[in-house]
Structures are given as structure tokens and as C-alpha cells.
Amino acid sequence: MLSHRRLRVYLVSAAILVCFILYFTGDVRRSQALRSSSKIGIVNTKGSGNHGKGNDASVFEKLKPGSLRPDEHHTDGSATEVDKTDAARQTVIPDQKETQTQDTESRDESVKEELNSILKRSPIIIFSKSYCPFSKKAKFYLLEKYDITPAPFVVELDEHPLGKELQGLLATNTGRKTVPNILVNGKTIGGGDEIETLYTSGELGTKLQSLGGKRVTATLRKTEGPEP
């Protein structure tokens, strides 16, 4: 029968042997694992190198001129929508300008027709403004001081719906921008000051008849009214 001392020695020896076995077994496993990971790393490195080349090639292919399709230029549809909107505006704007031009031409034609219609009303036309003192002066000499046949036709531009446009057209046709503007057979003889000067010199009646022709008679009234 073994003594207690020998039994302890055997147990310690067995424990040491087991530890050595476990240690060497673990070391072998670690070595195998390291070798396997090294092989996998080499394979991955080769594969990734080839993959990188493929990506570079595909990138360069995409960067070649004309290689992108029209729909690849935008990441979303917003830019394309903006282009469509701009194109629509470019299409609409000329139409609007054309419409405005047509409206302006139509209005200009209406003004010309109105002026021609006015000029047919009488050989002598007084273009006036109701509040203008110079217009009042001209009307006084032409309507109060003289008996004119046919009677002068008065147009108050401030009360006429096309008054502003008529005044502009008169400025173009006669060179006179202000009122009053006295026309005899379509020719201007001036405004309030010019009419007063002709009256003072005694030439107003003669001037009206010479420009108006046989149709116009201008007789000085006997009754003197107050000066304007």
C-alpha cells in the first residue's frame, strides 16, 4: 500500500504533466490559426488589388467625354425640372412681348383714328385743357373776339379718354408739346401767346382765312368783351 507521501508526489507529477500537455496543445493550435489567417490575408490582398483596378477603370470609363447618359448628369430630377421651366419661360416670354407689342400698335392706331376724326369736325381745332390759363386765353380770342365760320371745335384733352395719347401724337406731328395747340387745316399756328399776338397786330382773322381757305370766314365782333 502506497504511503501518503508517494501518493502526493504522483498526483503533483500527474498535474504537471497535464499542464505541459495542455500548454503544448494550445501552442500548436495558435500556430495553425496564425498560418491560416496569413493565407487568408494574402488572398484578400490580391483580390482587393484586382477589385481596386476594376473600380478605377470603371471610374475612368464614366469620366470619358460623352460616356454619361443625359439622365446621369443629375442625381435627382430637380435640375431637369428647372431646365424644363426655363425652356417654358423662354417660350412664353416672346409671346407676352408680342402681345404687348400688338396692344401698343392697336392703341396707337386708335389714337390716330381719333385724331383724324377730330380734324374732320372743323377746319379750326383748339386742343385745350379746361384748367389751363393759356388755353382760356386762346379760346377767348377765337370764340369771343371773332365770329368764325365754321365754328372752331374745342377738344379738352384733360377730359378726353385718349387725351394724353392725343397730346403725344400732336407733339410728334406738329412739334408742339404744350397746350393750347391751335390747328387750322391740320397746321399749328401756336398757342395762347401766339394767338394774342396775332389778335393785337390785327392779323388773326387774315391768318385764319388764309390757312382755312374759302371754307373759313373770320369776322371781328363789334362788341368788345373783357380781356382774359
Side-chain angles (χ1 to χ4, degrees):
M1 185 175 179
L2 296 176
S3 63
H4 289 287
R5 188 172 183 179
R6 284 187 178 181
L7 183 59
R8 288 178 182 175
V9 171
Y10 288 147
L11 290 174
V12 171
S13 299
I16 292 172
L17 180 61
V18 170
C19 289
F20 274 109
I21 292 171
L22 291 175
Y23 175 78
F24 284 112
T25 303
D27 190 35
V28 171
R29 288 178 180 175
R30 283 194 297 272
S31 299
Q32 290 177 351
L34 289 173
R35 290 176 184 175
S36 299
S37 61
S38 298
K39 291 180 180 180
I40 293 171
I42 292 171
V43 172
N44 288 338
T45 303
K46 292 181 179 180
S48 62
N50 294 332
H51 182 67
K53 291 180 180 179
N55 287 341
D56 293 341
S58 63
V59 170
F60 283 116
E61 285 296 326
K62 287 186 177 181
L63 292 178
K64 286 182 179 179
S67 61
L68 291 177
R69 297 193 304 274
D71 57 348
E72 290 180 342
H73 287 282
H74 308 291
T75 56
D76 53 23
S78 59
T80 304
E81 292 298 328
V82 171
D83 294 340
K84 291 180 179 179
T85 304
D86 291 340
R89 287 176 180 172
Q90 291 175 359
T91 303
V92 171
I93 289 174
D95 293 341
Q96 292 176 345
K97 289 183 178 179
E98 184 177 354
T99 302
Q100 292 175 355
T101 302
Q102 291 175 352
D103 292 342
T104 302
E105 291 177 353
S106 177
R107 189 169 183 82
D108 291 344
E109 192 64 29
S110 299
V111 175
K112 290 179 182 179
E113 291 177 359
E114 178 64 16
L115 179 59
N116 291 332
S117 175
I118 291 171
L119 293 177
K120 294 177 182 178
R121 303 294 294 270
S122 173
I124 301 174
I125 308 295
I126 304 173
F127 288 98
S128 166
K129 288 186 178 179
S130 59
Y131 58 83
C132 174
F134 295 98
S135 296
K136 291 178 180 179
K137 181 192 294 187
K139 287 183 285 188
F140 171 77
Y141 288 115
L142 292 170
L143 302 178
E144 301 294 334
K145 291 292 186 178
Y146 276 86
D147 185 8
I148 301 173
T149 305
F153 183 73
V154 180
V155 180
E156 301 292 357
L157 293 176
D158 59 317
E159 299 174 356
H160 196 286
L162 294 176
K164 184 177 180 180
E165 290 81 359
L166 285 170
Q167 187 171 355
L169 184 57
L170 287 169
T172 301
N173 292 350
T174 67
R176 186 175 183 83
K177 299 179 180 180
T178 58
V179 292
N181 194 353
I182 316 303
L183 271 61
V184 181
N185 279 339
K187 183 177 180 179
T188 183
I189 60 173
D193 291 340
E194 288 79 7
I195 295 298
E196 184 178 36
T197 300
L198 288 171
Y199 172 78
T200 303
S201 64
E203 299 176 359
L204 181 57
T206 304
K207 185 77 169 180
L208 295 174
Q209 291 183 23
S210 64
L211 292 176
K214 296 180 179 180
R215 294 178 57 196
V216 176
T217 60
T219 305
L220 186 63
R221 294 180 187 272
K222 294 180 180 180
T223 304
E224 293 290 335
E227 296 293 328

